[in-house]
Amino acid sequence: MRMPLRVARRTVLAATVATVLGLSAGRRVAPASAETAPMTPAEAFRRLLEGNNRFVAGQPPLAVRTPARRTELAQRQAPFAAVLTCADSRVAPEILFDQGLGDLYVVRTAGVVADPVTIGSLEFAIEIFALPLVVVLGHERCDAVLAAIEALQHGSLPAGQIGAVIEALRPAVQLARLRAQLAALRVPPDTEPDLPEAAVRAQVAGVVERLRRAGPVIAPRLQRDQLRVVGLRYDLETGGVEIVA
Ligand SMILES: [Zn+2]
């Protein structure tokens, strides 16, 4: 039987987690400061986009990463959004959204792969911090997606657990390939499809859809407009993001 987190928190395991997070049992974390007070989904999304605009424009970061902020956060955290993104070294959410220490709850996997542990990590943050926003952030020229396209083309999976990443990306690659084949059948045919780009977008859209259908933690919050799940695509050249799902 599923146990609400507030009840589960009384268990030894959850008590350990609560200790790590600076929570006492049964008490919801308080905002660390006015800056991280609870927001609506729209407010949280606007804050991210404003930060990204500053990053794109090359403006000096407003993100707070001072020793004082570090000390303030040492006992409690109150992020205002979660970001699931690729492990790619060029796609660091705190930098490209110009956010500070303690602002974002970040989960990163190669290719923005979302397995049960990934989704559980996001649900954990949504439940504990009452997050109003989850962003799924893909990016152009994703090496994991490129590797998946090549591996699936040749029918050979890489060694070790890399194959698990490739397998997780298989549906997005297959969907992108199918769309490319359909585009080629049109008269006149569409311009040469960009398979990696289409696969990245399919992966983001697929993960967003999976999260929206994930079950009892996410779905009720979406229905009550307490949470939004948004899929974005990051442009490596401009530093900008666009909504894809
Ligand atoms: Zn990537």
Side-chain angles (χ1 to χ4, degrees), residues 29-48:
V29 68
S33 69
E35 188 190 11
T36 53
M39 298 179 182
T40 66
E43 287 168 343
F45 194 41
R46 191 182 319 124
R47 180 170 167 183
L48 277 188

Side-chain angles (χ1 to χ4, degrees), residues 86-88 90-91 109-112 139-145:
C86 185
D88 192 295
R90 302 162 292 181
V91 192
T109 59
V112 201
H139 67 100
E140 66 174 335
R141 282 180 229 115
C142 179
D143 290 310
V145 170

